[in-house]
Amino acid sequence: MSAPSSAPANKPKAASRPKPLFRYADGPVPNSLAMTYSLFGYVLGIGLLFAESWLLKAAGTLLLAHAMIIGAYLMHEFAHGTIFSKPAHNARAGAVFSWMTGGCYAGFQDLRHKHMRHHVDRADVLTFDSKQFINSLPAWARKIILALEWAYIPAVELLLHGYVILLPFLESSDKQRARRPAVAATLALRVAAFALLGWLSPVALGLYAVAWLLMITVLRFTDAYQHTYDAFAVLEDGDIPADKLRDRAYEQQNTFSNLVSLRWPMLNLLVLNFTYHNAHHEKPVAPWYRLPKLHSELYTDGYRQVVPMKELVGSFHRYRLRRVTDDDYGHFGEGPGRAEGFYGAVGVSFLTAV
């Protein structure tokens, strides 16, 4: 006769521990502060646009622009899944901040997919070749775009955002047809919201536009000098030509850390440490608040790929038209004046899924 079992007959299974809200144990404080600043700054900034004092209006415009800048870089973190432990939470938060920054006409997963291709393919993968489009326009239309760019109005980014809105109505694929109701509803809601803002105060509406353009300009300046990757205009899921070895060495050699400041590293928080770009590409799952430490562990002070922004301002100004039409990014040299021939990229924002 066998001995009776000492184990309970119907022992319940141990309940699995729920995942923490934030992915990393050191993430709650920095991520909560960043998200709160962006959301609260957005609301307060809009409120200040209605102030009687032009000084307060100006402060509100700058605060609004910076809140959107941080919101855009938080979207980048959500795309990499570095903030919340569950992908669904990152996707929902990304969708919220995409409404703030104007990237909401494409689904967050489409934005994420485009950005992940940038990392996986080690290339700038585009579905809309803005340079080819601009160069193929009639002379008068091309001159208008170049005149806007000369005046520091980001016409290329405006074109890309417009293309994202129009794409579902220009193409007849099943995916694009399915997107039409969501894009139309999003456009209607945003037009209504801006119409209300303009009805309450035309000045506030104009200053909101200024703040958004400031955000786009900061993002495009940062994006312009972070890579000298090959750019490919292919279909959404199309393959890029395998004509060279795009390995990790290629990735690092064609990636730049355009730091806001070497002397005062805290200033890089103005762009949520996005400028520590070599460290980000070496370890894409590292959250934004760990990047300065990771950068210092990986690279020496004289690392060639570290290019302070002050060295790039001249090139950004000098080549603001050439960058829009030329097929290459120029040349990054050695020693003093190494960035003088560096045109930079254009139209590679992660806010547009094209």
Side-chain angles (χ1 to χ4, degrees), residues 203-271:
V203 172
L205 178 62
L207 292 177
Y208 187 101
V210 170
W212 189 80
L213 291 173
L214 285 173
M215 176 202 69
I216 292 296
T217 300
V218 170
L219 264 60
R220 79 190 313 225
F221 174 53
T222 306
D223 289 337
Y225 298 106
Q226 290 190 327
H227 293 287
T228 48
Y229 277 168
D230 294 324
F232 298 97
V234 297
L235 295 175
E236 187 174 7
D237 294 308
D239 294 327
I240 64 172
D243 57 352
K244 66 168 62 174
L245 182 64
R246 297 185 182 86
D247 56 10
R248 292 182 72 176
Y250 169 88
E251 183 174 24
Q252 286 294 313
Q253 290 165 5
N254 289 276
T255 300
F256 299 87
S257 296
N258 49 347
L259 301 182
V260 177
S261 175
L262 287 172
R263 186 175 180 183
W264 294 291
M266 288 288 288
L267 290 179
N268 292 288
L269 286 172
L270 290 170
V271 289

Side-chain angles (χ1 to χ4, degrees), residues 38-50 60 63-64:
S38 183
L39 293 169
F40 182 73
Y42 182 77
V43 174
L44 178 59
I46 291 176
L48 289 173
L49 300 183
F50 292 91
L63 176 60
L64 179 59

Side-chain angles (χ1 to χ4, degrees), residues 48-66:
L48 289 173
L49 300 183
F50 292 91
E52 292 186 6
S53 166
W54 275 96
L55 185 61
L56 289 178
K57 288 180 186 291
T61 304
L62 292 177
L63 176 60
L64 179 59
H66 192 243

Side-chain angles (χ1 to χ4, degrees), residues 18-42:
K19 284 187 175 182
L21 178 59
F22 291 93
R23 178 171 180 175
Y24 299 111
D26 58 350
V29 172
N31 287 324
S32 296
L33 288 173
M35 289 186 287
T36 300
Y37 168 78
S38 183
L39 293 169
F40 182 73
Y42 182 77

Side-chain angles (χ1 to χ4, degrees), residues 83-221:
I83 294 185
F84 296 117
S85 58
K86 292 184 178 181
H89 291 163
N90 284 301
R92 292 189 190 105
V96 170
F97 282 88
S98 72
W99 270 81
M100 176 195 297
T101 56
C104 51
Y105 296 103
F108 177 75
Q109 293 300 345
D110 292 325
L111 295 170
R112 182 181 183 279
H113 175 72
K114 176 198 172 185
H115 187 66
M116 289 304 105
R117 288 207 65 176
H118 167 74
H119 279 271
V120 173
D121 294 330
R122 297 180 174 114
D124 289 325
V125 184
L126 314 169
T127 55
F128 177 74
D129 189 335
S130 64
K131 295 180 180 181
Q132 183 183 47
F133 175 78
I134 292 169
N135 287 327
S136 67
L137 289 173
W140 64 267
R142 188 169 176 268
K143 286 179 179 178
I144 290 174
I145 291 173
L146 293 179
L148 292 171
E149 289 284 349
W150 180 86
Y152 287 100
I153 297 172
V156 171
E157 271 66 26
L158 294 174
L159 274 175
L160 291 175
H161 280 268
Y163 181 71
V164 172
I165 297 171
L166 293 175
L167 182 60
F169 306 98
L170 296 175
E171 290 193 5
S172 57
S173 66
D174 291 342
K175 178 179 179 179
Q176 294 303 334
R177 282 203 305 269
R179 288 186 57 225
R180 289 173 186 174
V183 172
T186 300
L187 182 61
L189 284 171
R190 289 180 68 85
V191 168
F194 290 129
L196 175 61
L197 180 62
W199 178 73
L200 293 172
S201 171
V203 172
L205 178 62
L207 292 177
Y208 187 101
V210 170
W212 189 80
L213 291 173
L214 285 173
M215 176 202 69
I216 292 296
T217 300
V218 170
L219 264 60
R220 79 190 313 225
F221 174 53

